[in-house]
Amino acid sequence: MTRWNYFKEGDIIDVVAPGYPSQPHEVEGAHAFLLKWNLQPRIPKNLIKPHFLHANEDEARFGFLKAAIESKDSRVIWCMRGGYGSNRLLPMLAKLKKPKEPKLLIGISDITSLHTFLTQEWGWSTLHAPLLDRLGRGLVSAKHEKELHNVLFGKEKSVEFKKLKPLNDQARNITLQKSKIVGGNLAVLQTTLGTPWQIEAKKSFLFLEDTGERGYRIDKMLEHMRQAGVFKQCHGLILGDFIGGNEPGSEETKHKLVFKRWAADLDIPVFQGLEAGHDVIQRPVPLNTSCVLTQKNGKVLLSIDTGGKAS
């Protein structure tokens, strides 16, 4: 585990767009948000250009990411939005030499590809936390914006989750488990299977979330993971928010039935209720840092080290 440096006012924040494009007003909102925190946003002039799928051509998106990784005057890479595109950059990213000093990557959703690469290949600690377009549009509540600020500026040394619910006996029987958190978006993690950057969950809690996926698709992705051996020696599954995915002609989903099935099928603990993902509340989840899960009198507490340090 490597530690990132706590933010200080005046720090330069490198903004990248490895996936979908953002609209000009969203970029302006992100710029204004970072200024509000007394940070210096560095948003390349040609970061976003017309493209039929992404924020820019692969080579351009990678070029901006590479520049952010290699810049000597910044320590943070914050993504504008998710969507799709980050996994196309991994073969190019794999050719880079690991920097001597780690940086902090922030983002969710499609950014899971980059989280997985940076944590597994370079040993960095990263942060699964709101994207800049969301923060710039004021879609994060004052309470949760403050929590994120406190984490990034070192006012909070850990993130605590108190609403986890055990879904099987293996989870109910845990009293203490020291581990780390890996994972992110389920659909993105499925795309890592069979690649050099396949998600590695041994001796870790695997955190999963997603949006717009029907029950059968979630089940299919979990089965693919099982057949790929992802759950072997995994300390357990921790399910975040799964939103959308209603069955055709219905306002209901089959998510509950799917997770009940997997909790019964797997011989590892399965918990539900992490407040992270694509829903309204998107609490920060530090990845590849130490964590402790305790359970007493039916109450579960997951405490995750933020991974930060004073510079």
Side-chain angles (χ1 to χ4, degrees), residues 18-226:
Y20 275 8
S22 297
Q23 297 301 313
H25 72 275
E26 294 170 334
V27 177
E28 292 170 5
H31 185 272
F33 168 79
L34 292 173
L35 289 179
K36 183 181 74 171
W37 276 13
N38 293 318
L39 298 167
Q40 295 186 52
R42 182 156 59 196
I43 306 176
K45 183 178 180 180
N46 297 317
L47 181 66
I48 297 172
K49 283 191 171 182
H51 189 278
F52 74 103
L53 282 181
H54 312 300
N56 213 319
E57 297 290 348
D58 289 349
E59 293 74 14
R61 299 198 322 284
F62 174 70
F64 292 124
L65 177 61
K66 179 176 182 289
I69 289 172
E70 296 179 345
S71 63
K72 303 296 184 182
D73 57 354
S74 76
R75 299 174 296 189
V76 181
I77 304 167
W78 207 328
C79 300
M80 269 299 305
R81 66 168 298 183
Y84 163 65
S86 293
N87 68 331
R88 293 181 60 89
L89 308 184
L90 297 185
M92 290 179 276
L93 189 56
K95 295 178 181 178
L96 290 187
K97 183 179 180 180
K98 176 185 174 181
K100 292 182 179 179
E101 295 295 327
K103 294 196 174 188
L104 176 64
L105 174 77
I106 306 174
I108 70 165
S109 195
D110 176 69
I111 311 307
T112 295
S113 293
L114 300 180
H115 284 305
T116 302
F117 180 93
L118 295 176
T119 56
Q120 294 184 180
E121 299 299 314
W122 290 358
W124 287 7
S125 300
T126 64
L127 193 63
H128 184 281
L131 296 153
L132 278 175
D133 76 326
R134 183 176 181 82
L135 289 159
R137 287 182 289 155
L139 298 179
V140 176
S141 70
K143 174 184 176 181
H144 292 104
E145 182 181 321
K146 182 180 179 180
E147 178 185 40
L148 180 60
H149 186 279
N150 287 344
V151 166
L152 293 174
F153 281 82
K155 295 180 181 179
E156 293 182 13
K157 304 301 189 293
S158 64
V159 184
E160 293 189 345
F161 294 89
K162 300 179 180 180
K163 296 184 178 181
L164 294 184
K165 296 181 179 179
L167 295 187
N168 57 9
D169 287 339
Q170 292 89 335
R172 283 183 280 270
N173 291 334
I174 286 183
T175 56
L176 172 67
Q177 178 66 63
K178 296 180 180 180
S179 190
K180 64 179 180 179
I181 308 292
V182 300
N185 182 262
L186 174 58
V188 175
L189 289 171
Q190 186 190 28
T191 69
T192 71
L193 302 181
T195 74
W197 311 287
Q198 176 168 314
I199 181 67
E200 175 59 72
K202 290 181 180 178
K203 298 182 180 180
S204 306
F205 281 118
L206 179 60
F207 155 59
L208 301 173
E209 62 81 28
D210 220 319
T211 179
E213 300 289 359
R214 289 173 57 192
Y216 84 94
R217 287 184 55 84
I218 293 172
D219 190 87
K220 180 172 65 173
M221 288 185 275
L222 291 174
E223 182 59 31
H224 190 180
M225 283 189 164
R226 173 159 62 182

Side-chain angles (χ1 to χ4, degrees), residues 266-283:
L266 292 173
D267 60 359
I268 60 174
V270 180
F271 292 91
Q272 189 172 35
L274 197 75
E275 302 159 290
H278 284 75
D279 212 342
V280 176
I281 298 175
Q282 298 180 1
R283 297 188 62 201

